Every structure is written in C-alpha cells, then in structure tokens.
Amino acid sequence: MADKETGHEEMNFESALENYLTPDFGDLEEVSITKGTIVRIMGDNVLVDVNFKSEGQIPAAEFLDANGSLTVKEGDKIDVFVVKKNEQDGSITLSFEKAKRMQVFDQLEDVQENNRVIKGHIMRRIKGGYTVDIGGVEAFLPGSHVDLRPVPDMDALVSQEFEFRVLKINRRRSNVIVSRRVLLEEERDARRQDLLRTLEEGQIVQGKAKNITEYGVFVDLGGLDGLLHITDMSWKRIRHPREMIQMGQDLTLKVLSFDRENNKVSLGLKQLVPDPWQDIQARFPEGAHIKGKVTNLVDYGAFVELEPGVEGLVHISEMSWTRKLRHPSQMVHSGDEVEVVILGVDGDKKRISLGMKQVRPNPWELVAERYPEGTILEGVIKNITEFGMFIGIEDGIDGLIHVSDISWTKKIRHPNEVFKVGDVVQAKVLTVDQENEKFTLGIKQLNDDPWAHVPTTYPVGCNVKGKITNITDFGLFVEVEEGIEGLVHVSELAGKKGKPTAENFQEGQEIMAKVIHVSGDERRLGLSIKAIRDEESRKPKEFHAGPQEAGQSLGDLLKAAQESSESGEEASKE
C-alpha cells in the first residue's frame, strides 16, 4: 500500500515538474482581455495570476471606488487587459481599467450596431456640450443633441441620468459621441403616428405649452403641435396668453378642428366649460343695476367683469354726467368694484354696454327744472377764456357767458377787460340744452336792448347831434347817445372843394348829421354830413342869418373850418 502511495506521489511530482518546465499558457496574447485571479494584495499593488510564468502587478488605485475603498479581495476572479508580456523573463504587464474600458467599448459597439439605448450619467458641462459617463468611459454629448429644443438652463442637467443613442465610436482615440435628441425624436415620431391615427374633433387631449406668442400658445400634444388661439382661451377678454398660461404648463384641451392633410390642430380651453353668454339677456336685462370689478382700462373706456367670463364696457362718455374726462383713470382704476347699469346687451357679438353715470340722477334734468330759461341767477366766475366766461351753477355744471352776451353796446375783445376769475356776477339763463349738456347765460340780457328804440328815436331823415369817437379811413364813428354809434361813411362827408375827407374833423368834436339808414336788428345807424350840407345849400340865404334851434349850422362849421384852412395856407406862403 505504501509502495502504491509512493509511486503516486512520484508521478504527481513529475507531472508538476513537467508543467513547470514546459508551462501551458494557453492563448494569452498581448492587447487582449483574459481572466485572472487575485492572489495577493500588497499595499499599493494587487498581484493577479493569469496563468503566466509570473503574476501580473496592477496598481491598487485601479480597484478603488468613489470613496477610496478597494472593491476586490484575494481570490476574486477578474478580467484584465494584457498590456505587454515578456517570454524571456516571464514578466507581464496588466491593467484592470483598460479591460473595463475595452469591455465597455465592446458593449457600445453592440449598442450602436443593434440601434439600442444605453444609460449614461452627465458629469459636467464642457465647451459645446457635456461629458457623459457610460460605464467608466467618458462620452461627448453635443449641446444640440441634448433635447428637441434649446435647454434654457444647461447646468440643471448636470448629475442627471438619461438614456442615449450611440452615434460614433473611435477605439483608437477612445472617442464616443452620444445623442439624447435622436432618441427623443424617435419617441416623438412614434407618438405622433399614434396620435394621428386616433385624433378627432371634439376629443379631449393632454398637452404641454411649448411656445407662447401674442396671438396664442403652441401646445405639444406628443409628437404633434396644436395651436390654442387667444380667443379660445377664455370666455372673458384677455390681453396676452401669459395672463393664463406659462411655458411648460400641462394643459387639458379640446380639439376644435383637425386638418389631417396638413397636420394642423386647433385647440380650445374655454370650450371645456359652458358658455357664460348663453341666456345673457335673461341674466342681465337692460336697466338692471349690477356690481362688477374693473379689469382693464383703455383710452375709450373701462372693462368691467360682471361674472366669470362675462365683461361689459363702460364707455368714457357714460362715466360722468358733468366731468369731461380725458381718460377713464380719472374716474376708476383696475381692481375697483363699481356699480353699473346695463345699457344694452348683444348676445351674438358677446357685448354688453354699461353705464356708471346712470346710477345717479342726471343733474342736467334737475338744472333744467331748477333754472328754466329767463331765470336770473348769481354765480362765481370759475374760468375766463377768449370766447367767454364759465360760471359755477351746480356741482359739476357750469354756465357759459359768451363774450358777445356781456354788453349790448361795448365792443369787448376779451372778457378779462371787464371781469376776473372769482367775481360774482348776475346773469340771465338763455338756454338749457340737456341733450348736448350746454347751459348758456347772458349779462346784457338783464337790461333791454338799447338798439330796440333806435329806429323810433332816430328815423331816416332826421338830423342828429353827436360826438366823433373814432376816425378811420372809411369814415367817422359818431356817438349819438351812450352806447349808440352811427357811421358817417367817407362818401357822406363834405370836404374841401366838394371832395370827401376826414382830415377836417377831430375825435371829440360835435357835429350834426342826417340819418340816412337805420336798423335795430343789424345795429346799424347810417349818417350823412353831406346830406345836411346839400339841404342847407338849397335854403334861401336869409334863412341862414339867424342861429339854428339845434345849434350852430353845419354850413357855419364847414365855412369856419375852410376859412381857417385857407388862412393857414396863405400865412405859410407869406
């Protein structure tokens, strides 16, 4: 038995010696991956047996995790990369990291060839894109391949994990280019085809706001974009879609129309709720008093929300009975709660006309009752303009005294010649126009028109005595009584040698003239000096010997003026 055991040991020894002298290293090749066993961990190195003459030595750093701890132990089976082997001395150079890299590249090539996806972790931003960790291999993700549309915050993607398509691999340079956009496009196209097959008008769909413009919102329905027009967003009036919708907001919408040929989809949001304008006239009859909230001001008025989705317009002319407003902000502001009266309802056009001033009585009606035409009242001058004066009558109501209604006789170019702001004046009510909101007064109407008696007092043919008040190129103005002036036209003057002239007269001089035209309505009194001269020239000479009853004769005045003029001329010649 012992002999047998001794023979067996000798045979094992010989077999081992043979194996040592002529080792079988298999197909171990350089630049390839092979299996190995960790036989010893010594400080900074790990010894790995790959069935070669000697163990390979790999830096322990290649086996550390993110926390700096070893991920292997003695006896573990691992894949290593044969960097170099030396048959002469039996040395071998191995790499655990390169083996991992090679295996990842093999996996990436398989993913690329079979058009599969692979997960990766975005590590950091670099110029033109990102660095992505894919199983220990750093791949490049171009910025244009991150998403279907530009990413507003590119830093937000760092440290996130996504699925990618492999676009390009270069083992020699260890370059890998991946894309997320290609994968998203494929998913979008697939969803789009499904959507095109099932989409119908009236269908309720889910979408995400992807672009907001002044006229509406483009919504991503999942591979197909639809337009939500601003007029289909709300039953109430909105100025911009951003008042209701934000970028990226998830929306539930109704398909209003679908053009399959051009792939155009029209969407609606307000159609998901009942139309508040149905039976609008029954809920808001004309004349009803309603409270509402001011939602928007425009130059021509204010929009007031009566209930959700129903707005009416208070035109600027319907805001105040008395104030002349330049802008609605002089009366109300956005957010104010106001009481209004329904003036008109148009259900077809979805328009409601509102009034604010109608809530209170029309003060013009009260003024018409309180101050009928002919009433004499007192008021304070609030404002003076070139054309007249405004007198305060009631709160917010002014009466106008036109410059032509200040005096019957005085020629007033501007009211401030006679009055100033703050003066208290008496006036007579001339007209009260409720429709046009005009209240006119007159001061001169407090007295009778002095021109009313002129045709009777100064009939055509009578002689009058008056004082020259103004000398013009076209004649003389002569005041026959206070406030009443007549005109002696230049053609009615008696001048030297029979030629009409005004040079022989002076302002303030008293003269006699004959009335040749009179009109109380036109306020015109035509006088003639020549007519008196002609009349006196036809009388007998002895008739002129005595003084006239009405004063010195016109002939005497003219004769004296001519003699004075001739004496002056002779003296100057001498």
Side-chain angles (χ1 to χ4, degrees):
M1 183 68 179
D3 291 339
K4 289 182 178 180
E5 291 177 354
T6 302
H8 182 67
E9 290 176 357
E10 290 176 353
M11 187 177 62
N12 288 340
F13 175 76
E14 290 175 357
S15 176
L17 180 62
E18 180 69 20
N19 288 338
Y20 177 76
L21 294 175
T22 58
D24 181 13
F25 297 127
D27 296 329
L28 191 62
E29 297 180 359
E30 289 183 349
V31 195
S32 65
I33 297 175
T34 187
K35 292 288 185 181
T37 303
I38 297 176
V39 295
R40 190 179 301 171
I41 298 174
M42 301 183 306
D44 295 335
N45 294 296
V46 175
L47 296 181
V48 181
D49 180 15
V50 292
N51 198 22
F52 196 60
K53 293 179 181 180
S54 62
E55 292 87 358
Q57 185 173 279
I58 300 175
E62 295 189 17
F63 299 96
L64 299 179
D65 61 15
N67 298 321
S69 302
L70 278 173
T71 58
V72 294
K73 63 183 182 300
E74 292 180 4
D76 284 354
K77 302 291 185 180
I78 61 172
D79 292 328
V80 294
F81 181 75
V82 180
V83 180
K84 185 178 181 181
K85 67 179 181 177
N86 193 325
E87 299 286 354
Q88 301 296 327
D89 58 9
S91 64
I92 187 168
T93 304
L94 304 174
S95 173
F96 177 66
E97 287 187 347
K98 287 187 177 180
K100 286 175 58 180
R101 178 178 289 273
M102 290 293 292
Q103 289 172 335
V104 173
F105 270 97
D106 290 340
Q107 182 185 4
L108 291 174
E109 287 178 349
D110 180 66
V111 168
Q112 184 183 28
E113 290 173 2
N114 293 285
N115 200 32
R116 296 203 303 270
V117 299
I118 190 168
K119 287 187 177 180
H121 186 82
I122 295 180
M123 299 170 60
R124 58 185 174 275
R125 279 188 64 186
I126 60 174
K127 184 178 180 181
Y130 300 88
T131 296
V132 181
D133 179 15
I134 300 179
V137 173
E138 290 189 359
F140 175 60
L141 172 61
S144 59
H145 281 262
V146 175
D147 207 329
L148 294 172
R149 58 187 66 88
V151 179
D153 184 6
M154 296 190 69
D155 289 329
L157 299 180
V158 176
S159 300
Q160 294 194 44
E161 188 178 65
F162 298 99
E163 291 184 335
F164 301 96
R165 290 276 192 208
V166 178
L167 299 183
K168 186 176 181 181
I169 299 174
N170 188 325
R171 277 182 179 268
R172 186 173 62 85
R173 296 185 178 181
S174 297
N175 288 341
V176 180
I177 300 176
V178 296
S179 172
R180 180 169 174 260
R181 189 189 70 187
V182 172
L183 187 61
L184 295 175
E185 288 175 345
E186 293 173 356
E187 294 174 354
R188 181 189 63 185
D189 292 341
R191 292 196 306 269
R192 182 178 183 180
Q193 293 304 319
D194 293 339
L195 188 62
L196 290 174
R197 286 194 299 270
T198 60
L199 196 64
E200 295 179 352
E201 291 184 7
Q203 185 177 356
I204 306 301
V205 295
Q206 305 295 321
K208 186 184 291 291
K210 63 178 291 187
N211 189 24
I212 299 177
T213 67
E214 292 183 356
Y215 55 87
V217 179
F218 287 95
V219 181
D220 183 3
L221 302 176
L224 182 65
D225 290 347
L227 174 62
L228 171 61
H229 197 271
I230 188 172
T231 57
D232 291 313
M233 294 176 65
S234 174
W235 292 109
K236 70 177 182 179
R237 181 181 177 275
I238 60 174
R239 290 171 293 179
H240 198 281
R242 286 195 180 90
E243 294 179 21
M244 293 188 62
I245 295 175
Q246 304 300 319
M247 282 288 292
Q249 182 177 341
D250 293 323
L251 300 168
T252 300
L253 305 161
K254 187 174 184 178
V255 178
L256 303 181
S257 64
F258 177 35
D259 184 351
R260 291 185 180 275
E261 183 177 347
N262 298 305
N263 292 337
K264 291 185 177 180
V265 183
S266 177
L267 304 170
L269 183 60
K270 70 181 184 182
Q271 287 79 5
L272 296 176
V273 297
D275 184 357
W277 287 87
Q278 292 178 352
D279 302 325
I280 193 70
Q281 291 180 332
R283 299 201 312 276
F284 299 102
E286 290 187 16
H289 287 235
I290 305 291
K291 286 187 177 181
K293 183 178 181 180
V294 178
T295 58
N296 188 29
L297 298 181
V298 292
D299 291 341
Y300 52 85
F303 286 93
V304 178
E305 185 179 55
L306 305 178
E307 66 177 33
V310 176
E311 286 185 342
L313 173 65
V314 181
H315 193 271
I316 192 171
S317 63
E318 303 295 343
M319 289 186 167
S320 173
W321 290 112
T322 57
R323 294 180 62 183
K324 304 300 180 183
L325 304 175
R326 296 184 301 274
H327 194 272
S329 59
Q330 295 177 263
M331 286 286 293
V332 294
H333 300 87
S334 292
D336 288 353
E337 185 175 298
V338 294
E339 184 178 358
V340 294
V341 175
I342 307 296
L343 302 182
V345 179
D346 188 337
D348 296 333
K349 295 182 179 179
K350 293 182 170 56
R351 293 178 180 174
I352 298 180
S353 299
L354 305 173
M356 287 173 54
K357 67 184 183 182
Q358 289 80 3
V359 173
R360 287 170 286 277
N362 185 353
W364 284 95
E365 295 179 358
L366 301 178
V367 166
E369 295 176 2
R370 191 173 302 171
Y371 304 103
E373 293 183 10
T375 302
I376 297 175
L377 51 79
E378 277 191 353
V380 177
I381 298 176
K382 298 176 63 178
N383 189 27
I384 296 178
T385 67
E386 185 177 353
F387 59 84
M389 307 180 299
F390 288 95
I391 311 300
I393 307 300
E394 295 281 343
D395 184 24
I397 296 181
D398 296 337
L400 172 64
I401 300 177
H402 196 271
V403 65
S404 62
D405 289 315
I406 294 177
S407 173
W408 289 112
T409 57
K410 293 182 179 178
K411 291 181 172 57
I412 300 173
R413 292 183 294 272
H414 197 289
N416 59 17
E417 296 175 7
V418 186
F419 300 100
K420 65 180 182 297
V421 174
D423 286 352
V424 177
V425 296
Q426 249 192 2
K428 179 180 285 189
V429 177
L430 303 182
T431 59
V432 182
D433 188 344
Q434 296 182 41
E435 184 177 348
N436 296 308
E437 298 181 355
K438 291 182 179 179
F439 194 106
T440 60
L441 307 170
I443 293 177
K444 71 181 184 182
Q445 286 80 2
L446 294 172
N447 302 308
D448 294 334
D449 184 358
W451 279 90
H453 69 84
V454 168
T456 303
T457 307
Y458 306 101
V460 173
C462 76
N463 294 341
V464 295
K465 182 180 180 181
K467 183 182 294 184
I468 298 175
T469 58
N470 191 18
I471 300 175
T472 68
D473 292 339
F474 55 85
L476 308 176
F477 284 96
V478 179
E479 184 180 50
V480 296
E481 66 177 64
E482 184 178 2
I484 304 297
E485 287 184 342
L487 173 65
V488 181
H489 193 268
V490 66
S491 61
E492 297 298 327
L493 294 173
K496 182 181 178 181
K497 299 180 181 179
K499 293 182 180 180
T501 177
E503 296 177 356
N504 298 325
F505 300 93
Q506 298 177 355
E507 289 186 11
Q509 179 181 346
E510 288 190 349
I511 63 169
M512 289 291 298
K514 184 179 290 291
V515 177
I516 59 175
H517 173 78
V518 63
S519 173
D521 295 336
E522 297 177 358
R523 303 185 186 289
R524 293 178 61 184
L525 181 64
L527 305 175
S528 175
I529 295 176
K530 184 175 70 172
I532 289 184
R533 186 203 64 183
D534 293 344
E535 183 180 89
E536 292 199 2
S537 64
R538 290 193 296 270
K539 291 181 180 180
K541 289 183 180 180
E542 61 274 8
F543 186 79
H544 300 282
Q548 292 189 359
E549 296 178 1
Q552 192 176 7
S553 70
L554 178 62
D556 294 338
L557 291 171
L558 293 177
K559 183 177 180 182
Q562 289 177 354
E563 289 177 353
S564 176
S565 175
E566 289 173 357
S567 300
E569 290 178 0
E570 290 176 359
S572 62
K573 288 179 181 179
E574 293 176 356

